Amino acid sequence: MALLSTMPAAAGIAEREPPSAELWIFVIGIAALSWVMACRRWWLPLTVWLPAALFISGLVADFADPVIGPAVREELGLAYIFQADLAGALMLVVPLMFANIRFGRKE
């Protein structure tokens, strides 16, 4: 029991965050899914946007937390936070981009 009291409260934060390779696989998956959906109907990629936005908001909320954020920076480094922010921005923009491309076309 004494061992638990000496460990910092934020120990093991890196295990809670998704690996950066997994984030990039999500970006590729969302882009492919959005492209396929946009080929069917222009508005279908918008259905991917809401779950992606909820996932990214949870990830960014961890970075903004006063306890978890510094622990993530210390354990994973600023490069991880940069990659997660970039992947998150792409996850949000790509479905909107494909919907906009298809919306503007006249068939």
Side-chain angles (χ1 to χ4, degrees):
M1 194 64 153
L3 179 63
L4 292 177
S5 64
T6 59
M7 293 183 67
I13 295 297
E15 291 132 10
R16 290 179 22 145
E17 301 299 326
S20 81
E22 187 176 311
L23 291 173
W24 290 110
I25 289 172
F26 283 162
V27 170
I28 293 168
I30 286 175
L33 185 63
S34 297
W35 179 69
V36 168
M37 292 173 101
C39 288
R40 303 292 293 161
R41 299 275 185 261
W42 73 266
W43 52 267
L44 278 176
L46 301 177
T47 61
V48 176
W49 189 84
L50 182 62
L54 292 174
F55 172 72
I56 294 304
S57 66
L59 189 64
V60 171
D62 282 347
F63 297 155
D65 187 88
V67 174
I68 298 174
V72 169
R73 274 188 230 92
E74 183 180 316
E75 286 186 35
L76 298 174
L78 287 175
Y80 174 79
I81 293 177
F82 176 73
Q83 284 187 25
D85 288 342
L86 181 61
L90 287 173
M91 282 186 224
L92 294 178
V93 169
V94 167
L96 299 176
M97 180 186 70
F98 281 120
N100 186 37
I101 289 170
R102 285 293 290 172
F103 180 72
R105 284 191 185 162
K106 302 292 182 203
E107 293 187 24

